Amino acid sequence: MAGKKYRAFAEKLEDRAYALNEAIPILQQNKISKFDETVEVHLNLGVDPRHADQMVRGTVVLPHGLGVSKRVLVIASGEKLREAEEAGADFFGGEEYVDKIQKEGWLGFDAVVATPDMMRVVSRVGKILGPRGLMPNPKTGTVTVDIAQAVSEVKAGKVEFRVDRGAVIHAPVGKLGFDADHIVENAGTLIGAVLKARPQAAKGRYLMKATICSTMSPSLTLNVSEFSA
């Protein structure tokens, strides 16, 4: 049934670029699944990720969140554990959690925040966390002494973006059930953050193509002239 709905939706789409505030209602009106699908933005960039000086990476807190509550693990010690608890971290502790990940394969969390002094311990599970995008990193604000702020940002809808080998960024911007204006604002905020993260080494056109879709839908091409690329 979903296949038929997908094809029917795809056949309705015109061969043109859509304005962001036009694309969102189209996705919502042609919802394919019964569950609340995630809305995703995909950005093709004019960079060569093989060169370190053209890597595009960063974080952004979406104004209307993601519609999901992320489970946050904080690895710290002493007073920082109390801060983690008060900030709403789901799990907080020290080396025992690293052992749990390493020895039991436990991955019952969606984000990891650590204090700088604990990174020596956390590095033991780098090969487990890294490929899953869970390794704490100072550049994304997840290695910090300000545990309360880091946890609050993750809980509020902080999104990490990173260009892949194909020079594409994939990022969620909310749920299909959100108010259309909220999805538009989230998507605009994400795209704006990617534009600000343009490397100095990137020459020529930066934002080559932008598309938006929901979990089960075909993609709609966005009009990139809306954004100052």
PDB file of all heavy atoms in Angstrom, residues 2 5 30-37 176 214-217:
ATOM      1  N   ALA A   2       1.941   1.219   0.808  1.00  0.00           N
ATOM      2  CA  ALA A   2       2.831   2.374   0.880  1.00  0.00           C
ATOM      3  C   ALA A   2       3.467   2.617  -0.472  1.00  0.00           C
ATOM      4  O   ALA A   2       3.696   3.750  -0.881  1.00  0.00           O
ATOM      5  CB  ALA A   2       3.890   2.162   1.952  1.00  0.00           C
ATOM      6  N   LYS A   5       1.063   4.519  -2.630  1.00  0.00           N
ATOM      7  CA  LYS A   5       0.958   5.900  -2.165  1.00  0.00           C
ATOM      8  C   LYS A   5       2.189   6.699  -2.573  1.00  0.00           C
ATOM      9  O   LYS A   5       2.090   7.864  -2.964  1.00  0.00           O
ATOM     10  CB  LYS A   5       0.796   5.930  -0.639  1.00  0.00           C
ATOM     11  CG  LYS A   5      -0.561   5.466  -0.143  1.00  0.00           C
ATOM     12  CD  LYS A   5      -0.655   5.595   1.374  1.00  0.00           C
ATOM     13  CE  LYS A   5      -2.018   5.190   1.890  1.00  0.00           C
ATOM     14  NZ  LYS A   5      -2.106   5.321   3.366  1.00  0.00           N
ATOM     15  N   ASN A  30       0.215  14.900   1.634  1.00  0.00           N
ATOM     16  CA  ASN A  30       0.402  13.611   0.958  1.00  0.00           C
ATOM     17  C   ASN A  30       1.076  12.590   1.867  1.00  0.00           C
ATOM     18  O   ASN A  30       1.843  11.739   1.412  1.00  0.00           O
ATOM     19  CB  ASN A  30       1.234  13.813  -0.310  1.00  0.00           C
ATOM     20  CG  ASN A  30       0.491  14.593  -1.376  1.00  0.00           C
ATOM     21  OD1 ASN A  30      -0.276  14.041  -2.152  1.00  0.00           O
ATOM     22  ND2 ASN A  30       0.704  15.910  -1.412  1.00  0.00           N
ATOM     23  N   LYS A  31       0.774  12.685   3.150  1.00  0.00           N
ATOM     24  CA  LYS A  31       1.366  11.785   4.145  1.00  0.00           C
ATOM     25  C   LYS A  31       1.132  10.324   3.753  1.00  0.00           C
ATOM     26  O   LYS A  31       0.023   9.935   3.404  1.00  0.00           O
ATOM     27  CB  LYS A  31       0.745  12.063   5.511  1.00  0.00           C
ATOM     28  CG  LYS A  31       1.398  11.340   6.665  1.00  0.00           C
ATOM     29  CD  LYS A  31       0.794  11.829   7.984  1.00  0.00           C
ATOM     30  CE  LYS A  31       1.470  11.195   9.195  1.00  0.00           C
ATOM     31  NZ  LYS A  31       1.198   9.775   9.320  1.00  0.00           N
ATOM     32  N   ILE A  32       2.191   9.536   3.808  1.00  0.00           N
ATOM     33  CA  ILE A  32       2.124   8.150   3.354  1.00  0.00           C
ATOM     34  C   ILE A  32       1.872   7.156   4.494  1.00  0.00           C
ATOM     35  O   ILE A  32       1.058   6.246   4.368  1.00  0.00           O
ATOM     36  CB  ILE A  32       3.428   7.779   2.599  1.00  0.00           C
ATOM     37  CG1 ILE A  32       3.486   8.543   1.272  1.00  0.00           C
ATOM     38  CG2 ILE A  32       3.537   6.277   2.360  1.00  0.00           C
ATOM     39  CD1 ILE A  32       4.776   8.382   0.502  1.00  0.00           C
ATOM     40  N   SER A  33       2.554   7.333   5.621  1.00  0.00           N
ATOM     41  CA  SER A  33       2.470   6.360   6.714  1.00  0.00           C
ATOM     42  C   SER A  33       1.540   6.809   7.835  1.00  0.00           C
ATOM     43  O   SER A  33       1.205   7.987   7.944  1.00  0.00           O
ATOM     44  CB  SER A  33       3.870   6.101   7.281  1.00  0.00           C
ATOM     45  OG  SER A  33       4.707   5.564   6.290  1.00  0.00           O
ATOM     46  N   LYS A  34       1.171   5.866   8.681  1.00  0.00           N
ATOM     47  CA  LYS A  34       0.316   6.177   9.818  1.00  0.00           C
ATOM     48  C   LYS A  34       1.120   6.807  10.949  1.00  0.00           C
ATOM     49  O   LYS A  34       0.572   7.562  11.750  1.00  0.00           O
ATOM     50  CB  LYS A  34      -0.373   4.897  10.322  1.00  0.00           C
ATOM     51  CG  LYS A  34      -1.396   4.332   9.339  1.00  0.00           C
ATOM     52  CD  LYS A  34      -2.082   3.098   9.897  1.00  0.00           C
ATOM     53  CE  LYS A  34      -3.112   2.547   8.921  1.00  0.00           C
ATOM     54  NZ  LYS A  34      -3.772   1.321   9.431  1.00  0.00           N
ATOM     55  N   PHE A  35       2.427   6.491  11.030  1.00  0.00           N
ATOM     56  CA  PHE A  35       3.243   7.073  12.099  1.00  0.00           C
ATOM     57  C   PHE A  35       3.660   8.500  11.719  1.00  0.00           C
ATOM     58  O   PHE A  35       3.550   8.903  10.559  1.00  0.00           O
ATOM     59  CB  PHE A  35       4.466   6.208  12.386  1.00  0.00           C
ATOM     60  CG  PHE A  35       5.482   6.143  11.268  1.00  0.00           C
ATOM     61  CD1 PHE A  35       6.526   7.060  11.190  1.00  0.00           C
ATOM     62  CD2 PHE A  35       5.417   5.141  10.303  1.00  0.00           C
ATOM     63  CE1 PHE A  35       7.464   7.004  10.176  1.00  0.00           C
ATOM     64  CE2 PHE A  35       6.355   5.068   9.284  1.00  0.00           C
ATOM     65  CZ  PHE A  35       7.382   6.004   9.220  1.00  0.00           C
ATOM     66  N   ASP A  36       4.125   9.250  12.697  1.00  0.00           N
ATOM     67  CA  ASP A  36       4.519  10.636  12.464  1.00  0.00           C
ATOM     68  C   ASP A  36       5.931  10.655  11.880  1.00  0.00           C
ATOM     69  O   ASP A  36       6.917  10.561  12.598  1.00  0.00           O
ATOM     70  CB  ASP A  36       4.466  11.432  13.774  1.00  0.00           C
ATOM     71  CG  ASP A  36       4.508  12.933  13.551  1.00  0.00           C
ATOM     72  OD1 ASP A  36       4.458  13.362  12.383  1.00  0.00           O
ATOM     73  OD2 ASP A  36       4.589  13.677  14.551  1.00  0.00           O
ATOM     74  N   GLU A  37       5.998  10.792  10.569  1.00  0.00           N
ATOM     75  CA  GLU A  37       7.283  10.700   9.877  1.00  0.00           C
ATOM     76  C   GLU A  37       8.204  11.882  10.205  1.00  0.00           C
ATOM     77  O   GLU A  37       7.750  12.983  10.475  1.00  0.00           O
ATOM     78  CB  GLU A  37       7.056  10.649   8.366  1.00  0.00           C
ATOM     79  CG  GLU A  37       6.234   9.462   7.898  1.00  0.00           C
ATOM     80  CD  GLU A  37       5.907   9.548   6.408  1.00  0.00           C
ATOM     81  OE1 GLU A  37       6.790   9.965   5.630  1.00  0.00           O
ATOM     82  OE2 GLU A  37       4.772   9.208   6.032  1.00  0.00           O
ATOM     83  N   LEU A 176       6.460  15.429  10.706  1.00  0.00           N
ATOM     84  CA  LEU A 176       5.447  15.834   9.733  1.00  0.00           C
ATOM     85  C   LEU A 176       4.207  16.411  10.422  1.00  0.00           C
ATOM     86  O   LEU A 176       3.499  17.245   9.848  1.00  0.00           O
ATOM     87  CB  LEU A 176       5.060  14.629   8.874  1.00  0.00           C
ATOM     88  CG  LEU A 176       4.559  14.887   7.450  1.00  0.00           C
ATOM     89  CD1 LEU A 176       5.546  15.751   6.675  1.00  0.00           C
ATOM     90  CD2 LEU A 176       4.335  13.569   6.734  1.00  0.00           C
ATOM     91  N   SER A 214       9.958  13.479   3.700  1.00  0.00           N
ATOM     92  CA  SER A 214       9.649  12.841   4.975  1.00  0.00           C
ATOM     93  C   SER A 214      10.178  11.417   4.886  1.00  0.00           C
ATOM     94  O   SER A 214      10.677  10.982   3.848  1.00  0.00           O
ATOM     95  CB  SER A 214       8.143  12.859   5.249  1.00  0.00           C
ATOM     96  OG  SER A 214       7.443  12.149   4.240  1.00  0.00           O
ATOM     97  N   THR A 215      10.106  10.688   5.967  1.00  0.00           N
ATOM     98  CA  THR A 215      10.706   9.356   6.040  1.00  0.00           C
ATOM     99  C   THR A 215      10.333   8.462   4.873  1.00  0.00           C
ATOM    100  O   THR A 215      11.172   7.764   4.311  1.00  0.00           O
ATOM    101  CB  THR A 215      10.291   8.661   7.356  1.00  0.00           C
ATOM    102  OG1 THR A 215      10.605   9.514   8.458  1.00  0.00           O
ATOM    103  CG2 THR A 215      11.021   7.338   7.519  1.00  0.00           C
ATOM    104  N   MET A 216       9.069   8.490   4.470  1.00  0.00           N
ATOM    105  CA  MET A 216       8.573   7.567   3.452  1.00  0.00           C
ATOM    106  C   MET A 216       8.263   8.224   2.114  1.00  0.00           C
ATOM    107  O   MET A 216       7.801   7.555   1.188  1.00  0.00           O
ATOM    108  CB  MET A 216       7.300   6.872   3.968  1.00  0.00           C
ATOM    109  CG  MET A 216       7.463   6.141   5.298  1.00  0.00           C
ATOM    110  SD  MET A 216       8.669   4.812   5.235  1.00  0.00           S
ATOM    111  CE  MET A 216       7.828   3.652   4.156  1.00  0.00           C
ATOM    112  N   SER A 217       8.510   9.523   1.980  1.00  0.00           N
ATOM    113  CA  SER A 217       8.061  10.227   0.780  1.00  0.00           C
ATOM    114  C   SER A 217       9.178  10.408  -0.250  1.00  0.00           C
ATOM    115  O   SER A 217      10.366  10.312   0.079  1.00  0.00           O
ATOM    116  CB  SER A 217       7.519  11.608   1.154  1.00  0.00           C
ATOM    117  OG  SER A 217       8.586  12.530   1.324  1.00  0.00           O
TER     118      SER A 217
END
